[in-house]
Structures are given as structure tokens and as C-alpha cells.
Amino acid sequence: MFLLPVTVYILVRIDFVSLAIILVLLSKWRMFAVRPRYWPANLIASSADILVSVALVLFMANTSIQWWQLFWTATYSAWLVWLKPRSDVFSVSVQAMLAQLLGLAVLYLKFGDTPLVALVAGTWLVAYLAARHFLTSFEEAHTALLAHVWAFFAAGLAFVLGHWLLFYGTIAQIIVILTTVGYGLAALYYLDSHDRLTALLQRQLLAIMFAILLIVVVLSDWTGVTV
């Protein structure tokens, strides 16, 4: 498990980033060691792992500071060794939330200047795959429908905010909004599915979500020229 992150780190250090990404993708070869009709299902099942792995490689390549690269290498190792193999509800939920956060972060950090349609499509794909992964650990009869609803919301938000595409440092505004709403809704769903969602806790979570969104909207500079 540690060999892959170390090899990826070495490839990034010698500026073979594309080769590092190819190596990460090749490490998922077991997805295709079955009949072709099972490939789409296996690809969706492994989507969170692919999103996180590729994102961490790109984060590693996005900096020339060695200790930051070592940090991302250690994070990738922790993902492969500790979090990825776990299948309990909480761990799968964390996997999905990380997949969405890191996937969107890479999308807007590395490809923020691409055409709007590409950003919308990329946002839809990341949100859909993350939602599907999150819902797989629950006995949810409408997994595909709920995942599509969340992906449609994310894509719609990307279409609207993509005309401004505001950044807080290196973090796009849409990531803050989708993370706040997504994590909040995921927490509500998780607590409700375990019969731990009280009315007070629900109000507190909704209030926190609203407060964060209000701060984001009020403090953002909306006077820029749209594109």
C-alpha cells in the first residue's frame, strides 16, 4: 500500500505527473477483471477512490515545496491504508465527502479557466459520484434519483456562479457553498437514518448552514464583470 504513494511522489518530484496519474489509474485494474457488463458498476463503485487519488496527485504536483508534497503523500497513504478499506456507514460517508471536496477543488483550481459547459459537466459528475457513494451505505430505495437531484443542483449552481467564479485564495466560492450545503444535508440524512436527529439538532445544523451561506453571500464581491 505504501509503495504506490512513494512511487507517485518520486514521479511528481521528477516532473512526470502524467505518468503518476496513469500509474494511479492502472492500480485500479481490478475494476476491469470481470465481464465488460460489470465495468460501469465497478467504475461507479470505485469513483470516490479515483477522485481522491487523482486529486491528491494533482495537489502534490501543484506545489514545489517538498514538505507539502510529503504531506499529500502521507495523506494518500492514509487514504489507501486506513480510510479506503473501511466499509462502515460513517467511513463511507467520509469517503464520499472527501471525494466531493477534493474533486471539486481540483476541478476549479486546475481547470477553472475552461469553458463554462465543461465546469458544469465536471461539477455534475463529481457531485453525482460522491452522492452515489454516500448513499450506497444506506438502505435507500431512491439512490439514483437522489444522486441526480444533488448533481443537478450542483450543476445549476455551477452554471450560475461560473459567470463570476469568485475565489477565496485558491478555493472557489462554489466549493464553499456546495461543501456547506452538501455536508449539512449529509449530516441530517445520516442522523435521521440512525434515529438520532432531534428537532433541536436539526435547527442547529440548519442555522449553521444558513449562517455560513449568509457570510459567503454578504462578504463576496458581486461587482465584477460577468463572463
Side-chain angles (χ1 to χ4, degrees):
M1 284 293 186
F2 291 104
L3 181 59
L4 179 59
V6 171
T7 305
V8 167
Y9 168 75
I10 294 173
L11 290 174
V12 170
R13 288 293 296 175
I14 60 178
D15 206 23
F16 286 146
V17 180
S18 298
L19 186 57
I21 294 176
I22 292 173
L23 180 63
V24 167
L25 296 177
L26 288 176
S27 69
K28 318 301 178 189
W29 63 270
R30 292 183 182 85
M31 293 188 303
F32 305 105
V34 293
R35 294 181 179 180
R37 62 176 177 172
Y38 297 113
W39 289 0
N42 286 351
L43 190 59
I44 292 176
S46 302
S47 58
D49 181 29
I50 295 173
L51 285 173
V52 171
S53 298
V54 173
L56 291 175
V57 173
L58 291 176
F59 284 144
M60 200 184 304
N62 196 53
T63 179
S64 59
I65 302 175
Q66 186 175 12
W67 69 268
W68 264 117
Q69 292 179 333
L70 290 173
F71 169 78
W72 293 122
T73 302
T75 303
Y76 187 24
S77 299
W79 166 264
L80 291 176
V81 174
W82 182 72
L83 186 55
K84 175 192 166 185
R86 302 172 71 92
S87 58
D88 58 281
V89 174
F90 180 76
S91 296
V92 173
S93 300
V94 174
Q95 292 166 11
M97 290 188 288
L98 283 177
Q100 177 174 290
L101 175 61
L102 297 180
L104 290 176
V106 164
L107 175 64
Y108 285 90
L109 179 63
K110 302 293 290 185
F111 308 103
D113 56 349
T114 56
L116 181 59
V117 63
L119 287 178
V120 171
T123 302
W124 179 91
L125 182 62
V126 171
Y128 175 78
L129 294 175
R132 280 292 295 256
H133 190 78
F134 172 78
L135 293 168
T136 53
S137 59
F138 298 91
E139 295 181 0
E140 175 56 59
H142 306 290
T143 295
L145 175 62
L146 293 177
H148 278 297
V149 169
W150 174 244
F152 180 79
F153 170 78
L157 194 64
F159 177 77
V160 174
L161 296 182
H163 290 83
W164 284 272
L165 204 57
L166 305 178
F167 281 83
Y168 308 119
T170 59
I171 302 176
Q173 182 195 61
I174 186 174
I175 298 177
V176 178
I177 295 176
L178 286 178
T179 299
T180 300
V181 177
Y183 283 26
L185 293 178
L188 290 171
Y189 186 95
Y190 176 86
L191 292 171
D192 183 62
S193 66
H194 288 77
D195 297 322
R196 293 161 55 187
L197 183 62
T198 63
L200 177 60
L201 188 55
Q202 180 178 348
R203 288 195 296 269
Q204 290 175 338
L205 286 172
L206 291 175
I208 293 172
M209 290 169 56
F210 178 77
I212 295 175
L213 294 176
L214 183 63
I215 292 173
V216 170
V217 171
V218 171
L219 297 184
S220 295
D221 180 12
W222 300 99
T223 60
V225 178
T226 60
V227 295

